[in-house]
Amino acid sequence: MTSDVLIIGGGIIGLACAVEMKLRGANVTVLCRDHSAAASYAAAGMLAPDAENIANEAMLSLCWRARALYPDWTSKLEELTGLNTGYWPCGILAPLYKKPGEHEVSQRAIPYADRGSRGAEVKKEFIPSPQSPAYWLDKDPIHEYQPGLGVDVLGGWWYPEDGQVDNRALVKVLRNAAVSLGVEFKDGVTVEAIAQQQGEVIGVQTNIGLLRADHYLLAAGAWVNQLLPLPVRPRKGQMLRLGVPEFVTELPLTRVLFGDNIYIVPRRVVSGERSYRSIILGATSEDVGFTPDNTPAGIQSLLQAATRLFPQLQNYPIQEMWWGFRPATPDELPILGDSHCRNLTFATGHHRNGILLAPVTAVLIGDLILSQKTDPLLTNFHYSRFQNQSSTTTSMLTHPANFTNGHSKNLSLQAAELKLQDSGLIIAGKTFHSRLITGTGKYRSTGVMQKSVAASGCQIVTVAVRRVQTNAPGHEGLAEALDWGKIWMLPNTAGCQTAEEAIRVARLGREMAKLLGQEDNNFVKLEVIPDSKYLLPDPIGTLQAAEQLVKEGFAVLPYINADPMLAKRLEDVGSATVMPLAAPIGSGQGLKTTANIQIIIENATIPVVVDAGIGEPSDAAQAMELGADALLINSAIALAENSPAMAYAMNLATVAGRMAYLAGRMPMKDYASASSPLTGTITG
Ligand SMILES: Cc1cc2nc3c(=O)[nH]c(=O)nc-3n(C[C@H](O)[C@H](O)[C@H](O)COP(=O)(O)OP(=O)(O)OC[C@H]3O[C@@H](n4cnc5c(N)ncnc54)[C@H](O)[C@@H]3O)c2cc1C
Ligand SMILES: CC(=O)[C@@H](O)[C@H](O)COP(=O)(O)O
């Protein structure tokens, strides 16, 4: 049975949306690679729109809405499962070591006096919303209100409406609720690519095969950018947990402390007869990609800040340390709502506030997917806000200029005017606007190669790993010859005769791409070629190597003879594309395998890249007219009398062929049919 909605990612956002949509009657499946890696598991669970001091108005409204939903949402989930979420509207105190400038206080506040809950004199400063007051406490009141604070605390803000939830417990409750409602879970499943055609997702390629649904929700947290070029980056946070020693009879804190680069979150977990008490310390904020592990520097900074703020913690036992990756966007707002595909919705980029935002995200996404209702707030979080910025990757999502291969503005305008919508070339979740891939071998000089690559407008260049290793002619200085910040490297295993060799060279290729700054490049063009006369690939060795490399996390682009059965088998084992040959490598014979390529195209749900043997632009156009997704052309360009000019011609031919394919060819007829009308003509 296919699902109504397939959710990619089983963190809190995926789970909350799954429960919400299931409750509204949808048939939902959740795909999740790894629960323990989720930010949702790593978080501190603060519900802190006020303490976080959120400047963006729309974001603040969203966060307030989320916080207001929390009591009912958690009690509904608790009723459904009989489990505790640890929701605790305990308030958050934000002590400061410096008094805020007079200006800051008076701008934010209308002061008046009040008594705090412990009887201390609390000088209240009220800020923006009556639903969300904040109170300023001077030095004496804050120390009276919260005993045990560091002596250099000079005052602070009290946010009574903020609170916390035990995020690990909540994730467990959500998952239990989802299971009991009948949501289907596929754990340990990695989505490798989102297959798209004509503005529609047609399936997701996973390590267990292709999965389809009517609608898809992308909720893959910090990893979302591995599937689509959304500007979401991991922001690492290190955390630790202290136990509360037996001799401390009462939990020393009954509210969250939110300090400078530190928060201290008291937890009380009641489980059956026993109650566990602990204190969570968090969190660093590091822009280090997906670098794992806790570090001495990270943990030291947390301990230092925590014991300054609340000194008695220095004798508490450290029970656990961990880290996680917040899904951060450039403006620190989430990406919510419609995507460039009719049946794909985004819910990601929740950065520091994903635990808080889970219930409101679920409601808004449920409304959008199941009732086509767009809440006005959603417009503030649409992915298109990043499109006017210079990032080429994000603008590729909507592909207004896919036909140009980056060179002809006129063509792009015409394509837009002609309303030809192209979805771009998407390989293993990475989008390219050029559908022409080139190589670096056989050129007269490096300069000619550079000019040709530029003229081809290609965004992917394949490089023979072995030839780079051995500094073969034309492969010296490749690191500097091309701008690997702009060109995506496709390492290839040329020169490998067996599956084992190809696997080894593929691994080296991945390292080579890393050394050139492409940390996340897992692409490999797989060539297993035992025959040196025709350079025909070994189908069995290719399949074996592909299977192994997919398991190792490679995006495998296998070079094959134009064999439809083999193409299908390669797709089944999880290849990212298939690359059938037009004719033997370097032969320039043109399309000799048209009929089989046509069958491969008809049956493939992954991109079909016609590779090898193309001799002239008309071959390129013809392959694209057949419906090939892309071309790989090396010799025809490198060996032309004027390589850059030929590269440009191939660029135009690729674009022309693609446009023609999308435009739809006229039907072929057996007999002539006059172009001008035969009726109504004037007889002489
Ligand atoms: C240290 C730290 C402290 C935080 N503290 C707070 C806090 O106090 N309050 C708050 O509101 N927020 C906090 N956050 C932020 C919050 O945790 C995140 O915003 C939220 O968890 C994001 O949820 P998510 O479901 O989008 O992503 P995640 O929880 O990261 O889940 C994404 C899931 O998708 C899966 N996935 C990814 N790619 C694929 C794929 N290709 N195929 C299949 N599955 C895939 C992952 O394995 C993962 O399970 C904190 C985060 C960190 C790291
Ligand atoms: C560079 C590369 O990968 C070639 O082996 C590829 O197969 C292209 O073939 P042509 O050189 O015939 O274009």
Side-chain angles (χ1 to χ4, degrees):
M1 181 172 62
T2 59
S3 307
D4 299 331
V5 185
L6 190 141
I7 300 178
I8 304 167
I12 194 164
I13 299 299
L15 290 172
C17 293
V19 168
E20 180 70 26
M21 289 192 274
K22 187 72 200 177
L23 283 169
R24 297 191 198 187
N27 173 14
V28 181
T29 300
V30 177
L31 307 182
C32 189
R33 179 173 49 199
D34 183 356
H35 295 286
S36 59
S40 307
Y41 188 75
M46 288 183 300
L47 309 174
D50 295 333
E52 284 275 342
N53 226 331
I54 293 163
N56 181 286
E57 236 175 81
M59 178 68 168
L60 189 57
S61 304
L62 190 74
C63 288
W64 277 343
R65 255 164 89 171
R67 192 181 59 190
L69 289 174
Y70 246 90
D72 284 351
W73 185 58
T74 45
S75 59
K76 188 171 72 184
L77 289 167
E78 288 175 355
E79 257 170 50
L80 210 62
T81 58
L83 298 170
N84 197 324
T85 60
Y87 169 61
W88 184 7
C90 57
I92 296 186
L93 185 65
L96 294 172
Y97 299 115
K98 276 195 295 210
K99 273 198 167 186
E102 287 306 312
H103 179 65
E104 193 189 330
V105 174
S106 60
Q107 245 197 357
R108 298 176 74 186
I110 306 159
Y112 62 97
D114 194 10
R115 290 214 159 254
S117 57
R118 293 194 177 195
E121 166 114 63
V122 176
K123 188 171 155 203
K124 276 185 165 185
E125 318 265 6
F126 171 75
I127 49 172
S129 155
Q131 62 171 319
S132 208
Y135 305 102
W136 172 253
L137 281 74
D138 275 332
K139 183 170 182 183
D140 288 344
I142 199 169
H143 282 275
E144 213 174 323
Y145 195 50
Q146 179 56 63
L149 291 176
V151 286
D152 48 352
V153 168
L154 291 182
W157 291 96
W158 168 234
Y159 303 107
E161 300 301 320
D162 281 352
Q164 62 154 307
V165 68
D166 182 340
N167 46 292
R168 290 187 185 176
L170 175 59
V171 166
K172 191 167 150 199
V173 171
L174 275 167
R175 191 172 160 109
N176 272 276
V179 169
S180 70
L181 290 167
V183 170
E184 188 187 347
F185 279 89
K186 290 190 191 293
D187 292 328
V189 169
T190 298
V191 174
E192 286 150 2
I194 299 176
Q196 302 164 58
Q197 218 170 52
Q198 317 268 328
E200 189 168 339
V201 175
I202 52 165
V204 292
Q205 184 63 45
T206 74
N207 56 329
I208 56 163
L210 189 77
L211 301 174
R212 297 179 196 272
D214 292 340
H215 201 101
Y216 302 80
L217 175 66
L218 186 54
W223 297 268
V224 77
N225 171 281
Q226 293 169 359
L227 294 172
L228 285 178
L230 290 169
V232 177
R233 284 179 55 77
R235 184 66 59 87
K236 180 176 171 184
Q238 300 191 47
M239 305 270 294
L240 58 93
R241 175 201 304 280
L242 304 177
V244 179
E246 290 282 316
F247 63 83
V248 180
T249 47
E250 291 228 342
L251 195 58
L253 280 172
T254 52
R255 56 181 69 92
V256 173
L257 297 185
F258 194 99
D260 260 356
N261 301 316
I262 188 75
Y263 40 78
I264 304 178
V265 183
R267 280 277 154 77
R268 42 169 206 200
V269 180
V270 183
S271 169
E273 304 262 289
R274 303 191 57 185
S275 84
Y276 304 89
R277 304 166 312 157
S278 59
I279 307 273
I280 310 274
L281 307 184
T284 61
S285 180
E286 303 165 59
D287 195 2
V288 292
F290 285 109
T291 309
D293 294 323
N294 289 108
T295 60
I299 294 302
Q300 189 185 21
S301 72
L302 295 179
L303 291 172
Q304 228 162 31
T307 50
R308 180 180 179 202
L309 188 59
F310 201 62
Q312 64 181 274
L313 296 182
Q314 61 202 331
N315 296 318
Y316 285 27
I318 297 178
Q319 288 186 331
E320 188 188 351
M321 289 185 256
W322 67 94
W323 69 93
F325 300 105
R326 306 172 182 92
T329 59
D331 57 10
E332 305 196 343
L333 308 181
I335 297 176
L336 301 175
D338 298 327
S339 74
H340 59 296
C341 285
R342 178 194 68 66
N343 59 344
L344 172 68
T345 302
F346 294 144
T348 183
H350 291 76
H351 193 214
R352 299 174 60 87
N353 290 295
I355 304 299
L356 167 66
L357 290 172
V360 76
T361 301
V363 171
L364 297 184
I365 295 296
D367 283 349
L368 186 66
I369 295 180
L370 301 181
S371 316
Q372 290 74 50
K373 244 174 60 191
T374 305
D375 189 286
L377 256 190
L378 278 181
T379 54
N380 301 284
F381 307 110
H382 199 256
Y383 80 94
S384 61
R385 70 184 186 274
F386 298 111
Q387 286 208 301
N388 295 332
Q389 298 171 7
S390 57
S391 156
T392 49
T393 43
T394 48
S395 65
M396 279 174 214
L397 273 173
T398 48
H399 321 297
N402 279 324
F403 305 98
T404 67
N405 278 4
H407 280 278
S408 164
K409 280 228 158 69
N410 285 343
L411 267 181
S412 106
L413 277 179
Q414 283 166 19
E417 275 160 23
L418 296 171
K419 305 228 174 341
L420 283 178
Q421 281 292 317
D422 197 355
S423 55
L425 169 66
I426 300 174
I427 301 178
K430 202 165 170 63
T431 307
F432 304 92
H433 64 248
S434 167
R435 291 177 178 273
L436 175 58
I437 304 172
T438 64
T440 57
K442 300 186 186 167
Y443 283 96
R444 257 170 240 112
S445 68
T446 303
V448 172
M449 184 269 285
Q450 289 167 319
K451 282 192 190 132
S452 306
V453 167
S456 74
C458 71
Q459 292 176 297
I460 306 178
V461 170
T462 188
V463 171
V465 178
R466 281 216 151 149
R467 300 203 177 110
V468 174
Q469 268 187 318
T470 55
N471 250 344
H475 292 81
E476 321 92 333
L478 253 185
E480 297 79 34
L482 293 173
D483 180 355
W484 298 109
K486 296 202 178 110
I487 300 271
W488 189 248
M489 179 181 282
L490 175 55
N492 70 56
T493 63
C496 295
Q497 300 191 337
T498 64
E500 293 72 32
E501 270 180 275
I503 292 167
R504 222 175 36 246
V505 170
R507 293 177 190 141
L508 290 175
R510 178 146 71 176
E511 295 312 309
M512 192 166 94
K514 271 196 194 139
L515 283 176
L516 294 177
Q518 300 188 353
E519 277 294 324
D520 54 339
N521 190 337
N522 61 344
F523 280 36
V524 62
K525 181 187 174 209
L526 177 61
E527 295 186 17
V528 181
I529 305 183
D531 142 60
S532 59
K533 183 169 178 193
Y534 303 103
L535 294 179
L536 289 173
D538 166 9
I540 297 163
T542 305
L543 185 60
Q544 285 168 342
E547 208 163 358
Q548 175 60 28
L549 289 169
V550 166
K551 280 192 194 130
E552 293 183 21
F554 281 89
V556 180
L557 292 76
Y559 168 65
I560 56 169
N561 208 330
D563 174 348
M565 283 317 297
L566 176 62
K568 214 56 212 155
R569 293 290 302 274
L570 284 161
E571 178 173 339
D572 291 345
V573 301
S575 298
T577 66
V578 281
M579 303 184 77
L581 57 84
I585 294 176
S587 69
Q589 291 173 11
L591 269 185
K592 295 290 182 206
T593 53
T594 313
N596 277 8
I597 287 184
Q598 214 153 12
I599 300 173
I600 293 174
I601 291 170
E602 235 172 74
N603 289 300
T605 59
I606 50 180
V608 177
V609 182
V610 174
D611 175 17
I614 285 181
E616 53 194 348
S618 54
D619 303 330
Q622 198 194 340
M624 293 306 289
E625 286 164 18
L626 287 180
D629 295 277
L631 306 174
L632 196 161
I633 307 174
N634 182 46
S635 304
I637 297 174
L639 302 180
E641 278 177 33
N642 181 336
S643 295
M646 184 56 84
Y648 189 54
M650 291 296 188
N651 175 354
L652 296 177
T654 309
V655 171
R658 177 67 182 174
M659 255 176 154
Y661 170 71
L662 291 176
R665 190 197 193 287
M666 70 163 279
M668 225 184 268
K669 293 182 179 158
D670 288 340
Y671 301 105
S673 149
S675 302
S676 39
L678 293 176
T679 53
T681 49
I682 301 162
T683 45

